[in-house]
Amino acid sequence: MIEVNPQDYDIVLKIKDESDIAVSRQMAKNFAQKMNFSLADVTKIATAVSELARNIYRYAKEGYIYIREKEAGPEKAITIEILACDEGPGIENVELAVSGGYTTSERSLGLGLAGIRRLMDSFHIESEVGKGTAVIVEKRRHAY
Amino acid sequence: MKSKVVPTIKLYDYLLVPIQIELDDNTVERLQMQILHEIHENDVRGIIIDVSMVDVIDSYISFVLSETAGMAKAMGCHTVICGIQPQVALTLAQMGIRLKDIITARSLEDAIDILDELD
Amino acid sequence: MKEAIIYNLKELVEDLAASDDLKREWEDFLVNLADAFSSEDKDERIKELFKNLLDFADADALIRGIELLNSRIGGFPFIEMLKFAVEALDGIRKEKETRLRELNDILAELATPIIRIWQDILLVPLIGTLDSHRAQNMAEKLLERTASTRAKIVIVDVTGVPMIDTIVGGFLIEMFNAIKLLGSDVILTGIKPEIAHTLVKLGVDFNMVIIKRDLESALKYAIGIAPDKSDRKHGRKRGDGDEE
């Protein structure tokens, strides 16, 4: 799985209570706002973090969300990177989970991962059954 | 019944639910129960949920809202949502979320007009 | 180095300048270059000089110049100069790219007007090719305007769009769904065969969007269903004494 050094990140959020979902969403929103993302992109980022935090809480009970600002690509675009990782049960069929409409938990739309992927510019997932799941997503800031 | 999550307003035979708090998972579930009880107790024909103060609606919140609307429908009650912020609308649309069983309105006035016409 | 260049100045200018009217420029360049060698910020100054030179000469001329200086002047830092030349060219390329991006943004802005054409009706005539960046930018602006004007109907006219790819088509459908979430209706008009093809392949829901053949019928329809504000307040059935 992915090695993480918390010191490399601007924000580290521990997810273990239901209320941590709303807190992480709020923290992500504030951070994206400070990075000067457009209001629409701030909302998309906050929503994606909300989904990631919920997945951790639902399936793994606890885990971490790491957020940082970085420069990406040859044009060095200002980018927000979000890493969500847990040591939960892992996902058996990653492809199916990402394609949308799939859920192992009741009372959800099953759009979690697919929705996150649509909201962000890049999406990467690693998961191993019995070991855990790591999701890395990025969104570039566009100049308008 | 336990304390209300959101103070509501009875207007004609509609129930106005202005959401002005951060919606975490627990709150949104308690809100669902509260709305259903209020429909039952107050003989409500339509619910108007005003989300103009809500700046993040994710898949779970929208799911519970749709689910609530479905339950309200089973009790003979329409659900209208108004005040969705433009950036929230874009986010929901991009995630591919549809608010099943919910009618969307441009404003509170529009919501009342729509419910009036549904008789 | 400085002395060597100044000493051979006349001769060098003669060989470098392709025509008489360029002699002045080359002379200035060589004098400044000679001067730059002994300055503190040598690297920056030389790069700047190369950049300025490229205003009147092309890259070939610059390279020929560097080669000539190398053959005439002992100890000329050939590799270093070539490196500066490459960097100067890269700098120019980057400036051009930035300019192009700015122009594209301006073009996108100009090509996507949002017109409040009637009470409660917005008209968005899309012109030109849409890319995903422009489509997203437009979606944000249009949603903002729809919410702030509380328009009942948004007419999107794609007569001026030659074709769309599936990514942009997907953005458009998302934009229509988002407008519906605001409680407004979307009328789509001016669809050419290519666009119809893409939209249907993508699974556009024609219950979400009202389709009209041309702008005229779209407008007629929109005006027909747009609520007339003067009527609205009488509409309240339970309004006791609500006369105005």
Side-chain angles (χ1 to χ4, degrees), chain B residues 12-14 45 84-87 89-90 92-94 98-99 104-107 109-110 112-113 116 119, chain C residues 120 136 139-140 143-144 147 150-152 171 174 177-178 180-184 205 227 232 236-238:
Chain B
Y12 312 113
D13 36 15
Y14 307 140
R45 254 177 358 101
I84 297 183
Q85 295 179 16
Q87 64 275 14
L90 270 176
L92 288 173
Q94 195 162 31
R98 293 282 177 85
L99 296 176
T104 51
R106 291 175 292 150
S107 60
E109 294 96 316
D110 192 30
I112 293 171
D113 286 350
D116 280 351
D119 286 327
Chain C
D120 278 327
Q136 219 159 355
E140 284 182 31
L143 264 281
E144 201 58 58
R150 300 212 163 157
K152 170 99 185 92
F171 275 130
E174 275 166 26
N177 288 338
K180 292 292 282 188
L181 285 170
L182 298 182
S184 309
D205 180 355
R232 145 181 277 180
R236 293 232 50 79
K237 272 168 245 137
R238 278 163 300 273

Side-chain angles (χ1 to χ4, degrees), chain C:
Chain C
M1 188 63 47
K2 186 177 175 178
E3 291 72 27
I5 294 176
I6 298 297
Y7 186 76
N8 292 307
L9 191 61
K10 261 223 143 60
E11 214 176 300
L12 287 168
V13 169
E14 206 62 51
D15 289 339
L16 282 168
S19 62
D20 279 356
D21 39 323
L22 286 177
K23 274 186 184 157
R24 249 226 88 75
E25 267 90 359
W26 279 102
E27 193 178 325
D28 285 350
F29 167 75
L30 287 172
V31 170
N32 284 323
L33 181 69
D35 196 42
F37 271 111
S38 52
S39 74
E40 293 260 313
D41 49 348
K42 169 176 151 249
D43 295 11
E44 282 312 307
R45 275 189 61 184
I46 294 179
K47 247 181 271 172
E48 201 52 42
L49 280 172
F50 283 4
K51 245 191 201 167
N52 294 340
L53 177 80
L54 288 164
D55 281 343
F56 64 87
D58 57 11
D60 268 355
L62 175 61
I63 302 295
R64 265 205 316 278
I66 293 171
E67 276 170 345
L68 188 80
L69 286 167
N70 184 42
S71 65
R72 299 280 176 83
I73 292 163
F76 187 77
F78 186 52
I79 303 287
E80 202 187 355
M81 289 300 118
L82 283 179
K83 207 182 92 201
F84 287 150
V86 171
E87 279 171 19
L89 280 167
D90 191 49
I92 290 172
R93 185 181 59 85
K94 280 197 183 123
E95 275 168 24
K96 290 242 163 81
E97 267 173 14
T98 314
R99 260 264 271 309
L100 199 62
R101 253 202 307 275
E102 283 167 7
L103 283 173
N104 269 331
D105 287 347
I106 293 169
L107 184 69
E109 193 90 13
L110 292 174
T112 321
I114 302 171
I115 305 154
R116 190 168 176 188
I117 195 166
W118 201 267
Q119 173 186 306
D120 278 327
I121 304 173
L122 293 183
L123 171 63
V124 189
L126 295 183
I127 296 153
T129 315
L130 290 168
D131 60 26
S132 59
H133 181 204
R134 193 183 147 198
Q136 219 159 355
N137 192 356
M138 176 187 70
E140 284 182 31
K141 288 217 175 76
L142 181 55
L143 264 281
E144 201 58 58
R145 265 302 277 287
T146 308
S148 66
T149 57
R150 300 212 163 157
K152 170 99 185 92
I153 296 142
V154 179
I155 303 175
V156 179
D157 180 12
V158 294
T159 310
V161 181
M163 61 164 300
I164 50 172
D165 61 20
T166 52
I167 294 171
V168 172
F171 275 130
L172 284 182
I173 292 173
E174 275 166 26
M175 183 175 86
F176 300 155
N177 288 338
I179 294 171
K180 292 292 282 188
L181 285 170
L182 298 182
S184 309
D185 289 321
V186 182
I187 301 179
L188 187 55
T189 181
I191 300 184
K192 284 191 210 17
E194 294 82 5
I195 295 179
H197 189 259
T198 308
L199 287 180
V200 172
K201 288 264 185 205
L202 283 171
V204 65
D205 180 355
F206 287 109
N207 294 319
M208 299 288 286
V209 193
I210 302 157
I211 307 287
K212 289 287 154 194
R213 196 144 28 87
D214 49 32
L215 189 54
E216 190 186 332
S217 46
L219 268 175
K220 265 191 198 145
Y221 179 84
I223 293 166
I225 61 170
D228 191 346
K229 287 229 167 79
S230 56
D231 286 357
R232 145 181 277 180
K233 290 198 172 142
H234 298 288
R236 293 232 50 79
K237 272 168 245 137
R238 278 163 300 273
D240 21 30
D242 185 359
E243 289 299 342
E244 53 114 41

